[in-house]
Amino acid sequence: MLSKQIIAVARSRAFFASRGAQYPAVSLSKGWKIADTHIRRAQLHSKTVKVPQMAESISEGTLRSWSKQVGDTVEADEEVATIETDKIDVSVNAPSAGKIVELLAKEEDTVSVGQDLFIIEPGEGGASAAPEEPKTDPEEPRDQQLDKTTPEPRAPSAADKQSAPEGPKESKKEVKKQDSKPKEDKSKAPISAPKAPGNRGETRVKMNRMRLRIAERLKESQNAAASLTTFNEIDMSSLMEMRKKYKDEVLKEHDVKLGFMSAFARACTLALKEIPAANASIEGDEIVYHDFVDLSVAVATPKGLVTPVARDGKLTLEDMAGGTFTISNGGVFGSLYGTPIINLPQSAVLGMHAIKDKPVVVNGQIVIRPIMVVALTYDHRLLDGREAVTFLVKVRDYIEDPRKMLLASS
């Protein structure tokens, strides 16, 4: 993009051309030399920022929006653009303070890792340099210098006043008639007509990249996996009592709220080690058994469902991929029953649901207990019914008596 100095020289060249030979080519040649100096100086100091590396499995994304425009100043690490990927939005920040010189891509464009994104001209504190005032060369003759003073408007002479035609004079009656009419307020915007009842309009919205990827993955799972779901009921009394007793202490010591998800994560981890097929995956004609458990937790976001894997107590972009088993908690939205879809290449997914008081029989007596229905959807190509049901029963036993999780071998 041309800098302000180049634009100024280009405009002056057009001005000189319109004046003909009155201004010789000496001034034009000198103007272009000055512009060339500015171009070289900008090239030496400007820096091209590329699309950053996002994750191993992500090679491109959609440029969702520009936070800054050409001419805006930025501070170091200030967000300039947002790139939408299949899993998460990635912010592109300024490497240093300076001024945005050029944007090399448009919004909604598909950009690849390593592609040139924008050009920044470094500066102190992101402040732009003060514009330089044009200087006249004292060696040039006065008749070759551009007169930049604005000519003052000439006062009308007496002859001009006499020659100017006089407009028709309005009578007093016409003036009164005009004053009697109400004045219309032109500043008011026209009021749009309200929509008629029973309107059958439609609104089309382009699917974002994350939603397209979710649709592709879920349909792939339905087509590839031999999905089957088994259900069970869990009495949540013991876990709810333990949570009520220790939640304040856990919050005080660890600054973390004690919820039900942590107990289910622990129970699933122990059960997966006892039933390794539920933690395995199919690759080609081979079964891959993992010696580790990477637990994915389904998280609902405004743009779609993601399943991050928290491996080291923190979440990074790389944790948006992988996982050997998934837990989905639809109970937070009030779901009573559901059949979750397997997240390939995983072989199973556990679905948690809402807790409801139900009458159950305990030691021959009908009592009211808080019951949660859990569902395990598994790939029948890899797991048989015996293994799937055994896994779900082990999870139930761990939750109904949390002390068993302390006795289990890790």
Side-chain angles (χ1 to χ4, degrees):
M1 180 173 291
L2 296 177
S3 62
K4 293 183 179 180
Q5 290 84 356
I6 301 176
I7 296 174
V9 174
R11 289 177 176 174
S12 63
R13 184 183 183 189
F15 177 82
F16 290 141
S18 64
R19 295 302 180 108
Q22 181 180 354
Y23 299 96
V26 178
S27 299
L28 291 176
S29 175
K30 187 168 184 178
W32 285 113
K33 288 181 180 179
I34 296 174
D36 184 63
T37 303
H38 286 293
I39 293 173
R40 293 180 180 178
R41 186 183 304 171
Q43 290 175 346
L44 290 174
H45 291 83
S46 61
K47 181 178 181 180
T48 302
V49 180
K50 301 179 181 295
V51 177
Q53 184 72 33
M54 293 173 280
E56 293 182 2
S57 60
I58 301 176
S59 59
E60 65 178 19
T62 301
L63 181 58
R64 179 55 57 196
S65 62
W66 285 107
S67 304
K68 299 292 181 180
Q69 298 297 325
V70 175
D72 291 348
T73 56
V74 294
E75 298 291 342
D77 295 329
E78 186 176 356
E79 182 180 298
V80 178
T82 302
I83 298 177
E84 182 186 72
T85 68
D86 301 343
K87 299 178 176 64
I88 198 172
D89 289 351
V90 178
S91 298
V92 182
N93 301 333
S96 61
K99 182 173 67 175
I100 304 300
V101 177
E102 184 177 1
L103 305 180
L104 304 177
K106 298 179 180 179
E107 293 183 355
E108 302 300 328
D109 283 355
T110 299
V111 293
S112 304
V113 174
Q115 177 181 334
D116 294 344
L117 193 60
F118 64 92
I119 300 176
I120 183 174
E121 185 176 340
E124 296 181 1
S128 58
E132 298 180 358
E133 296 183 359
K135 298 180 181 180
T136 57
D137 193 349
E139 297 179 358
E140 293 183 3
R142 288 183 175 274
D143 57 351
Q144 293 183 7
Q145 295 182 3
L146 182 64
D147 187 9
K148 297 182 180 179
T149 57
T150 305
E152 297 181 357
R154 182 177 59 88
S157 59
D160 294 338
K161 293 180 180 180
Q162 293 177 1
S163 61
E166 295 182 0
K169 296 181 179 180
E170 296 181 354
S171 61
K172 294 182 179 180
K173 294 181 179 180
E174 292 176 351
V175 173
K176 290 181 179 180
K177 288 181 180 180
Q178 291 178 0
D179 294 340
S180 62
K181 294 181 180 180
K183 295 182 180 179
E184 296 181 358
D185 188 2
K186 296 182 179 180
S187 62
K188 294 183 179 179
I191 301 175
S192 58
K195 293 183 179 180
N199 181 35
R200 296 172 58 84
E202 295 180 346
T203 302
R204 294 179 179 268
V205 179
K206 184 178 178 181
M207 294 175 68
N208 59 50
R209 182 176 289 267
M210 183 182 292
R211 175 54 58 186
L212 287 171
R213 182 59 176 166
I214 292 173
E216 178 185 347
R217 293 276 297 169
L218 295 181
K219 192 58 184 175
E220 179 186 355
S221 177
Q222 285 187 330
N223 295 338
S227 299
L228 190 63
T229 305
T230 181
F231 298 89
N232 216 315
E233 291 184 343
I234 299 179
D235 185 351
M236 299 290 291
S237 301
S238 297
L239 184 60
M240 293 177 68
E241 182 182 353
M242 186 188 75
R243 178 178 179 271
K244 182 179 180 180
K245 184 176 181 180
Y246 296 107
K247 64 178 183 179
D248 295 335
E249 183 178 345
V250 172
L251 180 62
K252 182 179 179 180
E253 292 186 4
H254 303 284
D255 197 23
V256 174
K257 292 183 178 180
L258 182 60
F260 298 134
M261 178 60 73
S262 56
F264 274 90
R266 176 63 176 170
C268 287
T269 302
L270 295 173
L272 287 171
K273 291 183 178 181
E274 298 181 48
I275 311 294
N279 193 47
S281 59
I282 296 178
E283 292 185 7
D285 57 352
E286 296 180 339
I287 299 176
V288 180
Y289 291 96
H290 305 286
D291 297 331
F292 55 89
V293 176
D294 279 349
L295 203 62
S296 301
V297 179
V299 179
T301 69
K303 291 188 176 182
L305 186 70
V306 295
T307 54
V309 183
R311 296 181 175 90
D312 299 319
K314 58 183 179 180
L315 190 63
T316 63
L317 185 58
E318 287 73 17
D319 295 325
M320 300 302 294
T324 59
F325 186 84
T326 297
I327 300 178
S328 177
N329 186 9
V332 295
F333 304 109
S335 174
L336 292 177
Y337 301 92
T339 54
I341 299 179
I342 300 171
N343 182 21
L344 290 181
Q346 300 174 14
S347 60
V349 53
L350 178 73
M352 299 167 55
H353 299 95
I355 301 173
K356 297 294 182 180
D357 289 339
K358 293 183 178 180
V360 295
V361 178
V362 179
N363 298 327
Q365 300 292 327
I366 298 177
V367 295
I368 302 299
R369 293 291 176 85
I371 301 297
M372 174 190 288
V373 175
V374 291
L376 180 74
T377 300
Y378 59 97
D379 190 347
H380 213 328
R381 298 178 301 167
L382 189 56
L383 275 82
D384 294 329
R386 176 181 64 86
E387 296 169 313
V389 173
T390 301
F391 173 86
L392 196 57
V393 169
K394 287 185 176 295
V395 172
R396 181 201 64 188
D397 293 343
Y398 284 133
I399 297 299
E400 289 188 343
D401 189 357
R403 293 170 295 185
K404 290 184 178 181
M405 289 190 278
L406 297 176
L407 302 175
S409 57
S410 298

